[in-house]
Amino acid sequence: GQQVMQIPQYQHVQEGEDFTTYCNSSTTLSNIQWYKQRPGGHPVFLIQLVKSGEVKKQKRLTFQFGEAKKNSSLHITATQTTDVGTYFCAGSWSNTDKLIFGTGTRLQVFP
Amino acid sequence: DAGITQSPRHKVTETGTPVTLRCHQTENHRYMYWYRQDPGHGLRLIHYSYGVKDTDKGEVSDGYSVSRSKTEDFLLTLESATSSQTSVYFCAISPGKNSPLHFGNGTRLTVT
């Protein structure tokens, strides 16, 4: 089926440590998007990956799309308290207009 | 946020009553989506629209209906609200298929 699995569900880190969240689909994705939701807020778009093996960076954030276009990761280097929130991946497939979200990874950063 | 408005922001209703949530956009985007967010489940797609009067089901469409009679408005109706529909409901818009979504601020619905 068309679903996206995301792990871990929670991650608590000390400020300055790295953080990674992973997404996986059992079928080939046409693209994957990443969103961040601050506590009490709404999801905000971060980035979209389309190409096999694609890697994109936004300051301390690195996004990867797997060679088979079935998995993706978001890595944050040297976390800061401003990174706190829930990170979602969302996948789409070529035969549908739907955008299906993973369950999210909630990141807590301790100063 | 500018461009997309959800109303109401909060609502408390009783089991068995019909409820309609409204999403209004000023971006003239083609696609509109309704998601619900619950702890441990992330964001689950209820229904979406790819044009005026063009809608399709998402992952959790049972108990919900939608209508889009004009580009700017996408209505979500709970035909007979149940306690399991207590949730935060987000509307989102995008200009095209596979384009990034822009979310509204959400509606917190409580069914007692």
Side-chain angles (χ1 to χ4, degrees), chain B:
Chain B
D1 277 15
I4 179 170
T5 306
Q6 290 186 234
S7 59
R9 291 296 315 278
H10 302 271
K11 186 169 182 66
V12 180
T13 192
E14 293 183 349
T15 299
T17 60
V19 177
T20 295
L21 308 183
R22 181 183 184 231
C23 180
H24 178 78
Q25 61 146 329
T26 57
E27 304 296 323
N28 200 36
H29 283 345
R30 179 183 174 195
Y31 284 81
M32 299 185 76
Y33 303 80
W34 278 107
Y35 289 88
R36 60 177 288 175
Q37 184 169 33
D38 306 286
H41 292 278
L43 292 151
R44 291 181 292 175
L45 180 64
I46 305 171
H47 283 279
Y48 68 100
S49 170
Y50 47 95
V52 173
K53 297 186 180 179
D54 291 323
T55 65
D56 203 354
K57 295 180 179 180
E59 304 168 272
V60 290
S61 58
D62 287 349
Y64 301 95
S65 62
V66 289
S67 67
R68 192 165 178 204
S69 58
K70 42 186 180 176
T71 299
E72 55 266 36
D73 289 323
F74 193 32
L75 304 180
L76 176 70
T77 298
L78 288 64
E79 293 138 11
S80 177
T82 67
S83 57
S84 65
Q85 293 176 311
T86 292
S87 186
V88 178
Y89 291 85
F90 284 102
C91 176
I93 62 175
S94 73
K97 179 179 175 179
N98 297 334
S99 297
L101 302 188
H102 180 50
F103 282 83
N105 288 328
T107 294
R108 184 173 294 275
L109 176 68
T110 302
V111 183
T112 61

Side-chain angles (χ1 to χ4, degrees), chain A residues 11-68:
Chain A
Q11 185 87 56
H12 298 174
V13 299
Q14 201 78 31
E15 189 173 21
E17 293 180 339
D18 292 356
F19 159 77
T20 305
T21 174
Y22 302 90
C23 278
N24 183 69
S25 168
S26 59
T27 54
T28 302
L29 297 160
S30 62
N31 77 82
I32 195 156
Q33 300 174 17
W34 286 91
Y35 293 77
K36 177 183 179 180
Q37 184 178 24
R38 295 184 185 275
H42 59 272
V44 174
F45 172 75
L46 294 175
I47 210 158
Q48 179 172 264
L49 305 172
V50 179
K51 300 176 183 176
S52 168
E54 190 169 15
V55 178
K56 288 188 177 181
K57 294 190 176 183
Q58 288 179 349
K59 298 182 180 179
R60 294 177 294 102
L61 278 61
T62 301
F63 304 85
Q64 294 188 344
F65 203 8
E67 293 289 341

